[in-house]
Amino acid sequence: MDWTTIREGDVTTAQHAELATLLRGAFAHLPGLYQGLRTWSGLRPESRVVGRDADGTAAAAGVLRRFIQVGHTDQLVAVVGIVAVRPSLQGRGTGGDLMKRVNAHLADLQVPFGILTCADRHVAFYGRAGWHRLTPPRRAVFSRDDTGEAAPFADEIEPNTLVLPVAAALADWPEGDLFWHCAPI
């Protein structure tokens, strides 16, 4: 497997096509999300960690630095999302290799924390990669998709918000609800 980290502006049309194919396969339960050359959901990432093998793009994850408000603290984080492994490679260690490279990329970015949300079935996977689930679950206020028309914000309890201490200690994570796009409401 050949691994690379690439800035979003440097992703070619051909690479978007391969990424879209990977994402359609990995997220088959979300039909219509990764149509054509669309390779993001919500906001476009700023960079991607990509693994390629003889069959093309095999694994990828997106990273986006941003501030979110946690309680009353403006917290710099690197949001990790669109984590995908080709279905034929799942369960073979490729996802673990991907997350090692994602974690190293976050260290290169010198952010205090990484943050992601995931389904229950993926919590243990991220835990093995050094990520920690916030307990108790936190209220999260966010936009489901920043790329389309304005829509009401989601306001829900997010049971699987995970953080990775990068340039800070886990004990430094602030207490409180998470406001991804707005001040507390």
Side-chain angles (χ1 to χ4, degrees), residues 84-150:
V85 173
R86 186 183 307 132
S88 64
L89 296 175
Q90 292 175 2
R92 297 181 173 187
T94 304
D97 289 345
L98 172 62
M99 291 312 297
K100 285 178 191 170
R101 284 159 177 84
V102 167
N103 293 358
H105 180 48
L106 299 185
D108 289 343
L109 294 174
Q110 300 177 4
V111 293
F113 299 99
I115 190 168
L116 61 81
T117 61
C118 66
D120 289 339
R121 68 185 180 276
H122 299 303
V123 171
F125 165 76
Y126 290 113
R128 288 189 300 274
W131 292 72
H132 303 269
R133 182 166 36 182
L134 296 178
T135 56
R138 309 293 169 91
R139 174 184 178 212
V141 179
F142 59 97
S143 171
R144 294 192 191 282
D145 186 352
D146 283 345
T147 61
E149 296 293 323

Side-chain angles (χ1 to χ4, degrees), residues 33-55:
L33 184 58
Y34 300 107
Q35 294 302 307
L37 298 177
R38 184 179 171 109
T39 61
W40 64 91
S41 60
L43 293 173
R44 283 179 83 140
E46 126 187 37
S47 57
R48 301 188 190 241
V49 177
V50 179
R52 296 188 86 253
D53 64 11
D55 295 324

